[in-house]
């Protein structure tokens, strides 16, 4: 059946596995939570603006219990959006997407994330995955598997502020399937475009550039928990 909802979250709550949620043009200011029982849910739009409602205290770092979009459902697809955050304020930064599911596809979106006024403060982050399989890793989900994650044909930039942002941060997980990050463009006050701490990742055909003085890294492949990383393919990326 086809039905209409007043908010995107209301549509997610009403949906069943495999449903397609078609978001009409307009600006939506809300945070979204896609729980694990909404398998293969698809959120699509033709350039609707989805602006998150929440910022995160700098003391919490990347692990936001209240990101703008929380994805816990396997097979989620999100495409065709202009995704933005609220302007950052003193001692707060933005976390747009926190992900803890497999076979997720995020594509054909424009990400614009607000940064703070100080490049030395905690940077905002567009997408971070929950970690697992690591002793001492602070996460509410111990068996996260992000195998099958595909991030492609997106653009990343910052909205406001002279501070910095990170685009994609892949933490260790229990999965052994591949993650693909391909054909994306990363620009603006970019602190780091892609940080990876897991094995089996393809990073291909991305374009990276930054306007941030003293920016740190374009692509980082390092596991801070002293675990081995294998089968990471980096090819045909362009750094401006």
């Amino acid at each position: 059946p086809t039905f209409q909802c007043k908010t995107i979250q209301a549509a997610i709550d009403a949906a069943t596995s495999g449903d397609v949620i078609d978001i009409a043009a307009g600006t939506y200011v809300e945070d979204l939570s896609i729980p694990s029982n909404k398998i293969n849910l698809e959120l699509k739009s033709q350039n609707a603006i989805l602006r998150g409602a929440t910022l995160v205290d700098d003391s919490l770092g990347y692990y936001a219990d209240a990101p703008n979009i929380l994805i816990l459902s396997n097979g989620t697809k999100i495409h065709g959006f202009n995704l933005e955050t609220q302007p950052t304020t003193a001692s707060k930064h933005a976390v747009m997407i926190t992900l803890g599911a497999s076979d997720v596809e995020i594509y054909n979106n424009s990400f614009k994330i607000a940064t703070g006024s100080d490049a030395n403060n905690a940077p905002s982050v567009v997408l971070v995955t929950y970690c697992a399989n690591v002793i001492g890793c602070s996460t509410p989900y111990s068996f996260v598997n992000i195998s099958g994650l595909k991030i492609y044909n997106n653009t990343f930039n910052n909205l406001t502020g002279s501070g910095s942002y990170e685009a994609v941060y892949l933490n260790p997980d229990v999965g052994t399937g591949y993650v693909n990050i391909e054909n994306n463009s990363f620009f603006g006050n970019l602190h780091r475009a892609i940080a990876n701490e897991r094995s089996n990742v393809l990073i291909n055909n991305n374009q990276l550039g930054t306007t941030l003085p003293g920016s740190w890294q374009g692509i980082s492949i390092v596991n801070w928990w002293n675990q081995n990383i294998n089968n990471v393919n980096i090819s045909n990326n362009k750094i401006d």
Side-chain angles (χ1 to χ4, degrees), residues 74-92:
N74 296 339
T76 297
K77 295 181 180 179
I78 298 177
H79 59 97
F81 288 89
N82 292 301
L83 295 158
E84 301 179 356
T85 67
Q86 294 290 327
T88 53
T89 60
S91 74
K92 291 186 181 295

Side-chain angles (χ1 to χ4, degrees), residues 182-231:
E182 298 180 315
N183 300 312
N184 302 284
S185 297
F186 304 90
F187 294 109
N189 286 8
L190 188 64
H191 178 73
R192 185 162 50 186
I194 301 167
N196 174 57
E197 295 195 48
R198 80 185 301 272
S199 296
N200 302 326
V201 178
L202 304 177
I203 303 173
N204 302 321
N205 300 312
N206 300 285
Q207 187 172 5
L208 295 74
T210 184
T211 56
L212 186 71
S215 60
W216 192 14
Q217 299 160 333
I219 300 173
S220 169
I221 309 297
V222 60
N223 184 290
W224 298 103
W225 310 93
N226 296 318
Q227 297 174 322
N228 292 329
I229 299 177
N230 303 299
N231 302 322

Side-chain angles (χ1 to χ4, degrees), residues 63 130-139 141-144 171-174 197-198 223-227:
Y63 275 126
Y130 279 122
C131 66
N133 199 29
V134 175
I135 296 175
C137 181
S138 176
T139 176
Y141 306 101
S142 301
F143 301 99
V144 171
N171 275 295
D173 67 301
V174 300
E197 295 195 48
R198 80 185 301 272
N223 184 290
W224 298 103
W225 310 93
N226 296 318
Q227 297 174 322

Side-chain angles (χ1 to χ4, degrees), residues 88-99:
T88 53
T89 60
S91 74
K92 291 186 181 295
H93 62 282
V95 177
M96 189 174 285
I97 298 175
T98 302
L99 188 148

